[in-house]
Amino acid sequence: MPSIATKRVLLRLFFFPLVVVLALLRSILSMRTRARIARLHAQHQQTIAADSPSSVLDPHSPQAKLLQLSAVQLAKLIREQQVSSVEVVSAHIAQVRRVNPLVNAMVRDRFAAALAEAREADRHIAVAHSADALATLPPFLGVPCSIKECFAVAGLSQTGGSPHRADLIATRDATAVRRYRQAGFIVLGSRTSPSCACGGRPTTKFVFFSPTASQ
């Protein structure tokens, strides 16, 4: 019968190649992950370059005033048809395109779909000719919003900042997003999220795209 020392030697001879193979696999996976992150980062930088700021917004312009109002105030103006949802959504889209290259806050957008939904919201309000009819409409109908990328928005990425979810596209809305939509909000796109949605520093270290300057 082999001695205890011999058994230990045999176990080491058995496990050593296994450990080496596992280390090599881990190294290969790490290299592939870094390559994927670099590729996605380059794609995002190209998007930023294409959406470079066009001009500084005049703080006294009607567009700028819409950006300073709360969701409740915007909902009231839209409902009273003092301003259209299309105007509000367009103002916010223009602001995102203007400042996002500087702060890198929004990583995926659905601007075309948002404008279509804004036109539909204006149509619903236009045909509601009475106070009772308006009361049946969602309270925030036509008001734009954005969603953290860790929440599922149908058709947009949902990586949650994790390289292991780099190719994940949401097929349906998260419960919270669905309730936002039911309240009448129009989703413009998804915003950066730190890895696995863990973090609270002034700069969001989003794994795939360059850090977000949130302060």
Side-chain angles (χ1 to χ4, degrees):
M1 180 178 290
S3 64
I4 294 177
T6 302
K7 288 181 179 179
R8 287 177 178 174
V9 170
L10 291 173
L11 284 173
R12 287 175 182 174
L13 289 174
F14 174 78
F15 281 112
F16 180 74
L18 183 62
V19 171
V20 171
V21 170
L22 290 175
L24 287 172
L25 287 174
R26 181 177 180 182
S27 178
I28 291 170
L29 289 173
S30 179
M31 290 173 63
R32 291 182 62 184
T33 298
R34 286 196 294 268
R36 176 182 288 180
I37 291 172
R39 185 177 69 252
L40 292 171
H41 176 73
Q43 291 173 354
H44 186 59
Q45 291 303 314
Q46 291 175 359
T47 302
I48 287 177
D51 259 347
S52 58
S54 56
S55 62
V56 177
L57 182 64
D58 179 2
H60 303 293
S61 67
Q63 204 176 52
K65 292 178 181 178
L66 291 177
L67 300 175
Q68 298 168 6
L69 299 177
S70 69
V72 173
Q73 292 171 317
L74 288 173
K76 184 175 184 294
L77 291 177
I78 293 171
R79 187 176 293 267
E80 295 174 353
Q81 294 183 283
Q82 296 184 41
V83 66
S84 69
S85 175
V86 169
E87 290 176 295
V88 175
V89 169
S90 296
H92 283 78
I93 289 175
Q95 179 71 350
V96 170
R97 286 176 169 158
R98 187 178 295 107
V99 304
N100 199 55
L102 304 176
V103 299
N104 189 41
M106 187 170 287
V107 293
R108 291 287 181 265
D109 71 70
R110 53 184 307 277
F111 293 157
L115 285 170
E117 291 168 13
R119 288 190 289 271
E120 186 68 11
D122 288 334
R123 189 185 68 79
H124 282 299
I125 292 171
V127 299
H129 297 297
S130 66
D132 290 339
L134 286 172
T136 64
L137 297 176
F140 292 98
L141 183 61
V143 177
C145 72
S146 58
I147 305 293
K148 271 288 187 184
E149 205 256 5
C150 53
F151 288 95
V153 177
L156 299 184
S157 63
Q158 191 200 357
T159 70
S162 171
H164 304 294
R165 296 162 62 95
D167 300 319
L168 180 62
I169 302 296
T171 57
R172 60 181 180 178
D173 290 335
T175 300
V177 176
R178 187 171 67 251
R179 289 178 178 174
Y180 264 70
R181 291 188 192 272
Q182 290 171 348
F185 284 103
I186 294 175
V187 179
L188 298 183
S190 55
R191 306 192 314 275
T192 53
S193 170
S195 183
C196 299
C198 297
R201 297 180 178 180
T203 298
T204 300
K205 293 185 177 180
F206 195 64
V207 172
F208 298 137
F209 312 111
S210 51
T212 298
S214 56
Q215 285 190 357

